Amino acid sequence: MADHVVMNQREALVEIILNRPDKRNAINWPMMEALHAAIIAAEKLAGARVVLLRGEGSGFSAGIDLLGFQDAAGEFGDGWRDNLFPLTQAYQAVVSQFERCSLPVIALLHGYCLGLGMELALACDFRLAAEGTKLGLPETRLGIIPDVGGTTRLAHLVGPARAKELILTGRSIEAQQAEQWGMITACVPADDLPARGAALAAEIILAAPLAVSYAKRVINDLSDTTRGLQLEAWAQSQLIRTEDFTTGAQAMLMKQPADWKGR
Ligand code: COA
């Protein structure tokens, strides 16, 4: 089996690549573990100054591996739905590690950036997106909420009104609108995406590494993300046991509308 996460270093740049293109970089638990290992390793690499995160294939990521929900009992035990808190916290810890990394992290987005993929991108310091990229948190269309920091970080980034517009509808928006909302750093022509990422990294590298790292930490700590993560985990522990979630996940995989029961 190919590595689902690939890491390489080019001088001061460390690239972390989501590498499951046949499944549209849908993120399962082993991939989360590999992402965690990669971001921890990145800041220990000699000479590393900036991390670039991107996806292989037609898009950045289609979000959480929906089939993984079917295997969750095997992976996490039969009672996983009744004891979701620690599981959510484990996912949150991986994504938060990108925020906590002492190096700045630039996410390069193309194609689609959905659900857990979007939550990962929101934990990065910069998001550059190719024109036409679709960005969204469609979890409510599955009967759940973005519980891996997406609800909290999107609200911090674009304010509660726009966060509600995106999350309560489950709608995706294109990169150009996301740029207007301040959800991404810039929307760029697709062919320019790698060069624009490298140029931003080069500019950061001109600044002093310790100052960059402390500035990142101060700005991040201005927002109370911890409370938001707890609230997300609480809400999800209610929703994961509903009939609506079971039918919602099935409907999403079948590309059919869900028949919501409200229970
Ligand atoms: N979880 C598991 N598998 C997924 C997946 C996901 N989130 N997204 C895509 N895949 C798989 C498909 O099942 C398919 O697998 P198969 O080839 O074994 O049948 C493969 O990836 C290709 O998917 P497909 O839908 O044919 O690709 P596409 O290029 O036409 O469309 C997307 C790409 C991302 C627009 C579309 O796959 C999609 O909408 N996925 C679901 C996104 C989502 O709702 N994520 C959950 C957020 S909470």
Side-chain angles (χ1 to χ4, degrees):
M1 187 177 70
D3 287 342
H4 287 342
V5 174
V6 173
M7 184 169 77
N8 58 59
Q9 183 177 13
R10 282 179 283 122
E11 300 175 352
L13 299 186
V14 182
E15 218 181 13
I16 299 178
I17 305 162
L18 305 175
N19 186 38
R20 208 185 170 207
D22 55 326
K23 296 293 177 190
R24 305 305 185 256
N25 295 326
I27 303 171
N28 54 19
W29 180 246
M31 204 162 163
M32 287 299 274
E33 290 184 310
L35 277 169
H36 195 228
I39 193 65
I40 297 271
E43 62 184 347
K44 294 187 180 142
L45 290 172
R49 291 288 312 278
V50 174
V51 177
L52 294 166
L53 175 68
R54 68 173 178 86
E56 197 61 57
S58 61
F60 178 75
S61 172
I64 197 157
D65 187 330
L66 294 168
L67 292 170
F69 284 121
Q70 291 170 359
D71 303 334
E75 192 115 39
F76 304 108
D78 278 339
W80 71 276
R81 283 185 192 226
D82 297 323
N83 192 22
L84 190 73
F85 239 87
L87 187 52
T88 304
Q89 285 173 328
Y91 274 79
Q92 290 177 343
V94 175
V95 167
S96 292
Q97 197 61 43
F98 282 74
E99 192 170 72
R100 216 165 286 140
C101 177
S102 61
L103 302 175
V105 185
I106 303 172
L108 301 178
L109 312 176
H110 73 291
Y112 37 83
C113 178
L114 302 171
L116 182 53
M118 188 72 240
E119 295 186 288
L120 184 60
L122 286 167
C124 297
D125 303 294
F126 303 92
R127 285 158 293 284
L128 298 181
E131 284 167 358
T133 305
K134 291 188 168 39
L135 303 108
L137 292 167
E139 282 84 348
T140 53
R141 294 186 182 188
L142 268 79
I144 51 176
I145 65 158
D147 67 335
V148 192
T151 307
T152 303
R153 293 193 175 99
L154 185 65
H156 286 161
L157 200 57
V158 302
R162 282 174 168 165
K164 283 178 187 166
E165 189 176 339
L166 219 58
I167 295 172
L168 272 56
T169 62
R171 178 200 301 161
S172 295
I173 57 171
E174 290 212 358
Q176 206 169 358
Q177 189 179 358
E179 184 187 32
Q180 287 162 10
W181 279 18
M183 190 170 153
I184 61 171
T185 314
C187 167
V188 306
D191 290 345
D192 295 352
L193 188 61
R196 288 288 294 271
L200 177 57
E203 207 179 338
I204 296 168
I205 289 167
L206 290 177
L210 285 177
V212 166
S213 169
Y214 274 96
K216 165 171 173 165
R217 192 164 160 188
V218 169
I219 294 167
N220 284 346
D221 284 357
L222 292 174
S223 308
D224 185 3
T225 303
T226 309
R227 178 166 158 69
L229 294 178
Q230 283 169 352
L231 287 168
E232 289 179 13
W234 163 77
Q236 203 76 316
S237 66
Q238 312 300 312
L239 292 166
I240 207 80
R241 286 178 290 186
T242 62
E243 196 181 319
D244 278 353
F245 165 63
T246 306
T247 51
Q250 283 289 346
M252 185 70 84
L253 274 170
M254 307 294 285
K255 299 187 178 174
Q256 286 169 358
D259 180 17
W260 303 121
K261 302 285 188 221
R263 60 174 182 257

